[in-house]
Amino acid sequence: MCGIIGYVGTRDVVPVLITGLKKLEYRGYDSAGIAVVNGNGVEVVRAEGKLSNLESKLNEKQLQGTFGMGHTRWATHGKPNENNAHPHRDCTGQVVVIHNGIIENFLPLKQRLQKSGHQFKTETDTEVVAHLIEQNLKDGTKFVDAVKKSLKELEGHYALVMIDGTEPGTIVAAKHGPPLVIGLGDNENIVASDVAPLLAYTRNIIYLEDGEYAIADQKSVRVFDEKDQQVNRPPKKIMWDAVMAEKEGYRHYMLKEIHEQPRGVRDTFNGRMFEESGEVYFNDLQFTPEEWANIKRVHVVACGTSWHAGLIGKFLLEEAARIPIEVDYGSEYRYRNPIVDEDTLVIGVTQSGETADTIAGMQEAKARGAKLITICNVIGAAATRLSEGVIYTNAGPEIGVASTKAFTTQLTAFYLLSLYIRQLRGENRDDLRFAMHEMRVIPEKLEAILKKEKQIEELAHKFYKSQDFLFLGRGVHYPIALEGALKLKEISYIHAEGYPAGEMKHGPIALIDENMPVVAIATHTPVYEKVVSNLQEVKARDGILIVICDEGDEAIRKIADEVVEIPWTVEPLQPILAVVPTQLLAYHIALRRGCDVDQPRNLAKSVTVE
Ligand code: AGP
C-alpha cells in the first residue's frame, strides 16, 4: 500500500512532506520521493530504500517551496529502485503524479502514447498517467480539464495526486479504490492516503468516495463526482490520536486488517486477470507450457497460517494440474530427506518472507534441483530472492501477529495460480473467464460478511468463557477448521482443535458435551450431506453447534444452535469467505477475555529462527 501526501499552503513544504511520509511508513514501502514546485519549476528528489536515504539526499539538495507532493512506494509494477520511485513526470517534466493502486489498462495506454512520441523512463504503470495528462494538455487545454479527460480513460484501482508546474498552487486528487483524504487547514490544505499525516495540521477531514476527484488550492477544496458535478461534502471532525489514525479508528491492527481483506483480495487479483482475453498474467512469474509439462510433482512448504493456505492450494492445484501436490511444514520438510529433483516445483508460502523453517525447506529443495516459486506479502523478502518466480499478495503490511488478510490473499494467489496452470494446459478460455468472474465478485461478498460483525461479536460474548473449542470442516474447509482453531488459540489462549469432520468419530467425539462449542463449516460442497451427518452426531451428544453455512440454508438452521450465513460462491473460493467469521469470532472472544490481540503472549510476527 503506497503512501501519498500533497500540500499547498504557506509552510516550508519539505518538512511537511517528510513528516507526513513518516506517518505513512507503517503502510510498508521500498522507495520514496518528493516533488516541490518553486521559482525553479518542478524539483524532484527520489531514493531507494528507507526515508532516511531520501532525507540524506535532501540534505545535499535543499528544496525550497510551499507547494508539493511526496510518496512512499510499495512496488507492484517495476522493481523497487530509485528510477521507479514516485513522483513520475511527463516528457516536459512539468506534470507530476503520485499513485497508489494499479492502472489495469496501462499497457495499451503506454503503447498508444509511445506511438504519439512520448518517451517513457520507468517500468511503472503510474508514469502513463503523467504522459496521458500531457497528451490531453495539447491544444491549450487547462490542467484540471486535461486531468478530468485523462481520468475517464483509466481503468483499475487508483488514488492519484497530480500537479502541473506551469500552474503552481493547484492540486488535483482522484480516488477510485484505495483511500484518499483531504485535511482542510487555515490557509493550507493537505491530501493524504489516510488521516495520520493530517492530524498535525487539522482535524477537519474530507473523505473522497470512489469516482470522485478534488481540486485544492491554498484557500479552497472542491469535490466533484465522475459526471463533473460539484459535490457538497462537509468535513468530518476526527478526534483520533496518531496511533488510532494508523489503525484508521479500529481498536486493533488485527480488526483493521480483517476489514481490509476485500481491498487486499482485489489488489491481489487486479492487474493479473484479464477477462477479455481470458488470460491470467503474472509480472514476476513466467512458465511456458513446455516448462510446465516437465513438472511432475509440487511440494508446498510453509508454516502456521501459511501452511493452512497451502492445504487449500493443494485442492486448487491438484484440480488444475492433475499431478501430486504435497504440503509440508517447513520445520518437517527440511529434515525429511524429501524426494526432489529438477521436475519438482516447490512453492514457498510466507507472509513475511523471512520464516526460517520455510526458507530452510526451500533451500533444501533448491539444493536438490527443484524449481522454486514464492507466494509472499513483502517485496524483496529473503524467500522471494530464493526463487525463479514470485506471486506477491498485495495485502499491504500485516501488523497484527495473527495473520488474516495475508491468508485470504494467499488463497487468492493460489486461485490465480490454478487458473494460470489451467491456461498453460490449454483449457477452454470461457471456463477461465467464468472462474475469473467468480473471483472478481469476492470482495463484495467479503464486505457482506463483514457487515455481520455485530452478530459474531454477540456470539463471542456467549462463548468467551469456554475452555475448549472444536472446529470441524471437510474437503476445502478442513484447512479452515485448522485455521479457525489456530486464530482462536493464538490470541485468546483457549485450547482449540481443528479436525476433518469425518474424523470426529475416530476419537474427538469423546470430547463432545454440553460445554464444548463446536464450530463447523457446512457450505454446499460435494460432501455437504456428510457434514450434516457429522453435525447430527455432535447434537446427539449435546454439543453446542455453531455453523457457518450458505445463506438461506434452512436444514442447518434446524440443527444448529447458532448460524452464521455467508454468500454462495464456487467451491474453490468458499474458504476465502468461510474463514472470515472464524477470524471475527477469535478476535471478539480474545477482546472479551482482555487479551493483547495484536501482540499475543509468546508469539512473534515473523519467526526468523529455528
Ligand atoms: C498465524 O496467525 C501466525 N502468526 C503464524 O502461524 C504464521 O502464519 C507463521 O509463523 C508463518 O509466518 P509467515 O507466513 O510469515 O511465513
Side-chain angles (χ1 to χ4, degrees):
M1 299 190 298
C2 304
I4 281 178
I5 185 166
Y7 177 83
V8 54
T10 56
R11 298 173 199 263
D12 180 0
V13 72
V14 171
V16 171
L17 298 178
I18 295 299
T19 311
L21 291 179
K22 285 180 176 172
K23 295 283 188 193
L24 297 169
E25 280 191 293
Y26 76 88
R27 301 167 71 87
Y29 67 103
D30 47 61
S31 54
I34 69 169
V36 173
V37 180
N38 54 29
N40 305 329
V42 178
E43 295 192 280
V44 173
V45 176
R46 300 176 297 171
E48 187 175 339
K50 292 302 174 195
L51 280 175
S52 53
N53 298 342
L54 179 62
E55 288 183 285
S56 305
K57 287 196 161 190
L58 289 166
N59 289 336
E60 290 157 28
K61 178 176 186 176
Q62 301 284 333
L63 298 188
Q64 301 299 328
T66 61
F67 171 59
M69 56 165 64
H71 186 270
T72 48
R73 180 173 183 246
W74 174 276
T76 53
H77 290 72
K79 294 191 175 10
N81 57 31
E82 179 176 336
N83 185 52
N84 287 330
H86 301 208
H88 291 300
R89 296 193 273 179
D90 69 332
C91 304
T92 70
Q94 295 301 317
V95 176
V96 196
V97 175
I98 52 179
H99 165 223
N100 180 21
I102 292 169
I103 306 294
E104 281 197 43
N105 62 333
F106 86 93
L107 275 176
L109 286 174
K110 183 168 182 174
Q111 287 154 1
R112 190 186 91 196
L113 290 162
Q114 284 173 319
K115 283 203 184 88
S116 308
H118 290 264
Q119 299 297 315
F120 283 77
K121 302 185 183 70
T122 80
E123 307 162 294
T124 66
D125 55 337
T126 307
E127 191 186 355
V128 154
V129 180
H131 291 281
L132 188 58
I133 294 169
E134 178 192 7
Q135 185 67 25
N136 289 322
L137 272 171
K138 301 244 190 283
D139 64 37
T141 305
K142 297 292 286 172
F143 173 61
V144 170
D145 296 328
V147 170
K148 287 181 194 175
K149 192 167 176 230
S150 303
L151 291 176
K152 291 177 171 58
E153 297 185 65
L154 299 182
E155 292 171 15
H157 281 260
Y158 51 79
L160 288 163
V161 171
M162 301 151 281
I163 62 178
D164 180 348
T166 63
E167 296 183 38
T170 298
I171 291 180
V172 184
K175 179 194 185 310
H176 196 275
L180 209 49
V181 295
I182 305 173
L184 309 183
D186 178 11
N187 210 18
E188 60 186 3
N189 291 304
I190 182 166
V191 185
S193 306
D194 65 36
V195 171
L198 308 182
L199 296 178
Y201 309 98
T202 178
R203 291 186 177 276
N204 296 316
I205 311 291
I206 287 177
Y207 286 79
L208 285 186
E209 301 295 344
D210 278 352
E212 293 180 344
Y213 61 89
I215 301 169
D217 58 29
Q218 195 173 317
K219 301 276 186 214
S220 70
V221 175
R222 291 169 292 144
V223 178
F224 298 85
D225 65 19
E226 46 202 354
K227 296 187 179 63
D228 301 327
Q229 298 303 309
Q230 188 156 354
V231 173
N232 173 30
R233 175 68 45 77
K236 295 185 188 314
K237 192 89 175 166
I238 301 295
M239 301 317 289
W240 297 337
D241 61 30
V243 172
M244 282 178 74
E246 284 190 8
K247 296 174 191 168
E248 287 172 19
Y250 288 103
R251 191 162 171 183
H252 295 99
Y253 281 110
M254 181 181 175
L255 187 59
K256 174 180 172 232
E257 288 153 9
I258 289 172
H259 283 268
E260 282 181 332
Q261 291 183 109
R263 183 194 53 70
V265 166
R266 184 182 295 119
D267 285 354
T268 299
F269 68 64
N270 258 348
R272 289 169 166 165
M273 289 191 322
F274 299 92
E275 278 87 331
E276 257 177 56
S277 59
E279 278 183 301
V280 170
Y281 169 79
F282 291 113
N283 252 353
D284 304 300
L285 170 67
Q286 265 88 39
F287 266 100
T288 62
E290 297 69 33
E291 285 168 334
W292 178 259
N294 293 330
I295 300 293
K296 295 293 177 284
R297 72 179 70 80
V298 176
H299 293 169
V300 177
V301 179
C303 301
T305 288
S306 298
W307 180 74
H308 297 152
L311 291 176
I312 292 166
K314 171 184 168 71
F315 280 98
L316 306 186
L317 299 188
E318 279 190 343
E319 186 57 33
R322 303 314 299 156
I323 56 175
I325 316 277
E326 287 180 36
V327 186
D328 222 327
Y329 285 117
S331 54
E332 291 295 308
Y333 189 80
R334 65 189 292 188
Y335 296 117
R336 73 170 171 84
N337 191 17
I339 299 168
V340 174
D341 51 28
E342 61 284 344
D343 60 14
T344 306
L345 173 67
V346 169
I347 304 175
V349 187
T350 167
Q351 187 284 132
S352 63
E354 302 295 342
T355 299
D357 286 328
T358 303
I359 288 172
M362 293 173 73
Q363 287 167 333
E364 186 61 32
K366 191 177 180 93
R368 296 170 185 240
K371 287 182 179 48
L372 267 60
I373 288 179
T374 307
I375 296 177
C376 187
N377 196 42
V378 178
I379 308 265
T384 65
R385 301 195 299 271
L386 266 178
S387 54
E388 288 91 349
V390 181
I391 303 178
Y392 283 110
T393 52
N394 297 323
E398 188 175 68
I399 313 294
V401 166
S403 191
T404 51
K405 63 178 182 174
F407 179 69
T408 46
T409 53
Q410 286 166 347
L411 299 188
T412 304
F414 269 118
Y415 186 81
L416 293 172
L417 181 56
S418 72
L419 299 189
Y420 185 67
I421 291 168
R422 289 163 61 182
Q423 175 180 302
L424 288 171
R425 298 182 73 227
E427 184 166 325
N428 175 289
R429 289 295 161 96
D430 286 340
D431 294 344
L432 292 174
R433 284 191 186 90
F434 170 75
M436 290 179 203
H437 170 74
E438 290 306 316
M439 177 86 256
R440 203 166 283 282
V441 298
I442 285 293
E444 61 201 62
K445 293 181 178 179
L446 284 168
E447 294 289 4
I449 297 168
L450 291 167
K451 287 190 172 71
K452 301 186 176 202
E453 181 176 356
K454 191 72 193 144
Q455 175 202 345
I456 297 168
E457 182 180 4
E458 287 159 7
L459 206 49
H461 293 174
K462 283 184 187 172
F463 299 105
Y464 77 98
K465 288 183 177 162
S466 301
Q467 294 305 307
D468 295 284
F469 269 76
L470 190 57
F471 285 74
L472 300 178
R474 283 183 96 125
V476 284
H477 291 312
Y478 162 44
I480 298 302
L482 294 173
E483 176 60 12
L486 175 63
K487 273 307 90 61
L488 184 66
K489 64 185 134 185
E490 69 175 324
I491 62 174
S492 72
Y493 317 140
I494 294 174
H495 176 253
E497 278 194 84
Y499 247 87
E503 264 299 296
M504 206 183 44
K505 55 188 172 296
H506 299 283
I509 198 162
L511 295 171
I512 308 290
D513 63 20
E514 67 283 0
N515 302 312
M516 169 72 84
V518 177
V519 180
I521 301 101
T523 56
H524 279 79
T525 67
V527 289
Y528 169 78
E529 300 302 340
K530 303 292 181 195
V531 174
V532 172
S533 305
N534 299 143
L535 302 185
Q536 303 280 13
E537 292 157 19
V538 171
K539 277 318 284 174
R541 289 155 183 84
D542 300 328
I544 306 161
L545 257 186
I546 303 166
V547 184
I548 298 164
C549 66
D550 286 330
E551 284 165 346
D553 189 333
E554 290 311 318
I556 294 294
R557 274 199 177 283
K558 288 195 179 75
I559 52 176
D561 298 287
E562 304 286 348
V563 170
V564 179
E565 296 187 344
I566 62 174
W568 177 91
T569 185
V570 292
E571 184 185 10
L573 290 173
Q574 288 178 17
I576 292 181
L577 302 182
V579 74
V580 175
T582 69
Q583 295 169 341
L584 289 169
L585 183 66
Y587 172 80
H588 284 290
I589 286 177
L591 195 58
R592 201 73 164 77
R593 291 169 68 96
C595 297
D596 182 348
V597 171
D598 280 335
Q599 279 100 24
R601 68 186 182 199
N602 310 333
L603 286 176
K605 182 58 188 169
S606 175
V607 184
T608 56
V609 294
E610 263 215 72

